[in-house]
Each structure stands twice: as structure tokens, then as C-alpha cells.
Amino acid sequence: MVTKLDREERGVGMQNFKYSPSWDEFSNVLRIHSPQALRFLSKHLPVRTERSFREKESRRPRFPMTICERTFQLVADHLADLSYRGPTSLCCDDTKLYSAWRIFWDAEKEAHYLIGGIGEPYLVANPDALRKIIEEAKLTLAMKMRLWCLQVPLPKIAPIIVAALPLASDHNAESLAKWSLHQEKPQIIIVIVTAI
């Protein structure tokens, strides 16, 4: 607070202001629950702006688009951050989507990918010819998403999102059960995550 007042007296802005990690975390949680409350708080105490939070989030590694080694490493890291080594439970939920095609830039692979369809993300060499690519490749738009969450059986710990896979509208109970019973490739995740 003293540093903020000192800066205001000198006519200097809040650029490069150093926030303590715990204050930054509290402010971010407040922003997620109520942006209006964060704006009110910012009138009285120094807090990062909503734009600054978005910029900070954009520098974090993105959630993997497929089930891969990094998927499991993120879960292990999250459990290590919680200092939790006990039992966990894994659940899945099918969620209806507002279906749409999206172009996604993967900075690691330096390539555009088409997401929103069933199966793996589709590499797009020429984003300008997107409509033609969708028609020629005969891609199917996903109508639902299966989301796997890991739950730590302790109070006040949010579920950890493990993976998400797009589903077609024609998936029936039998095909979904195969995933849960480890009879198809994507569900290797269930066995590995519960072993962490």
C-alpha cells in the first residue's frame, strides 16, 4: 500500500509493480468469482488488472490436445503441489458442446490445428482454405465431450481435469462403456492416473 501511494505521489504508474504470490493468488480467485469485486478492491488496494491476469495466464503451458505423457505429468505435478500422496478417484462426464470449428495455433509445434471435430486435432497447412479442408477430409463436428476428472477425497480441493476427448452424437452406451472398461486406447489414462 505504501509503495502504491509513493508511486501516486511521484506520478508514476503501476507498471512492473511486484505483487506477493499469495496476494496475487487471492486477487485471481476473486477475479474468477467476481470481476466486479476485483474492480472495487482495486480502487482501494494495489491489485493486478484483469488484462494483466489474462497476459500472465497466456504464458502458461496449454492443456494438451491429446492424451499423452504430458497429460500424466500435469496430474502428477498438481498432486505434488498439493503434497498429496493418498488415494484418488477418477470420474468422467459427458458434456454437450456448442459445436464449432476453431483454428488453434500450437506454439510448440509452430502449426495451425483444426479443433472441434471427432478424433485427433487436424493439422492445417493453409488456414485460408479451411472450408475446403473440412469438406475434403470429411471431418465430423463433435457434439459432446467426455471429460475425465481426478478427485482428491479431501474437503475444499477442486477436481483436477485430466483429459477431454470429443464425441460424436452417435456414440451409444456400449461404445462409451468400452472406454471406461479399458478396451480402447484413450482409456489407458484411467489405469495410469489411478496408479500415480
Side-chain angles (χ1 to χ4, degrees):
M1 187 67 181
V2 173
T3 309
K4 181 182 178 183
L5 293 173
D6 180 53
R7 284 177 175 236
E8 285 175 359
E9 287 175 3
R10 291 185 292 133
V12 178
M14 296 296 287
Q15 297 86 357
N16 298 321
F17 188 84
K18 302 294 181 204
Y19 300 94
S20 72
S22 56
W23 178 249
D24 221 16
E25 184 179 352
F26 169 78
S27 303
N28 192 26
V29 170
L30 183 63
R31 175 188 70 96
I32 291 166
H33 288 288
S34 174
Q36 185 179 7
L38 180 73
R39 283 184 228 117
F40 176 78
L41 185 67
S42 69
K43 292 178 183 175
H44 305 287
L45 296 170
V47 294
R48 192 181 295 273
T49 63
E50 292 176 68
R51 180 179 179 197
S52 178
F53 277 118
R54 286 193 301 272
E55 286 175 1
K56 188 177 175 185
E57 287 170 353
S58 71
R59 290 190 291 271
R60 290 183 182 163
R62 295 186 181 266
F63 192 75
M65 291 192 294
T66 59
I67 297 173
C68 58
E69 286 297 321
R70 191 164 162 266
T71 305
F72 308 119
Q73 189 58 50
L74 287 172
V75 172
D77 292 347
H78 197 117
L79 291 173
D81 289 344
L82 294 172
S83 300
Y84 183 77
R85 299 176 81 52
T88 59
S89 65
L90 187 72
C91 61
C92 62
D93 179 45
D94 295 341
T95 306
K96 190 163 176 57
L97 297 174
Y98 290 110
S99 303
W101 295 109
R102 299 268 189 263
I103 289 288
F104 172 78
W105 171 254
D106 190 338
E108 289 178 14
K109 297 179 182 175
E110 296 186 356
H112 287 96
Y113 284 89
L114 180 65
I115 57 174
I118 295 162
E120 300 284 322
Y122 191 82
L123 178 64
V124 177
N126 182 7
D128 297 327
L130 185 60
R131 187 171 304 279
K132 187 177 176 184
I133 291 168
I134 292 170
E135 290 169 2
E136 286 178 2
K138 297 180 180 161
L139 300 174
T140 307
L141 200 57
M143 299 297 173
K144 293 181 182 179
M145 176 175 286
R146 176 153 277 201
L147 186 69
W148 283 272
C149 296
L150 192 72
Q151 181 65 56
V152 174
L154 294 174
K156 300 184 181 178
I157 295 183
I160 303 166
I161 297 174
V162 177
L165 290 177
L167 301 174
S169 58
D170 62 350
H171 272 306
N172 56 23
E174 185 179 334
S175 64
L176 295 174
K178 286 180 184 175
W179 286 5
S180 296
L181 298 171
H182 321 297
Q183 294 174 359
E184 288 190 12
K185 184 182 173 186
Q187 299 329 308
I188 296 169
I189 191 167
I190 295 174
V191 178
I192 295 174
V193 169
T194 53
I196 288 178

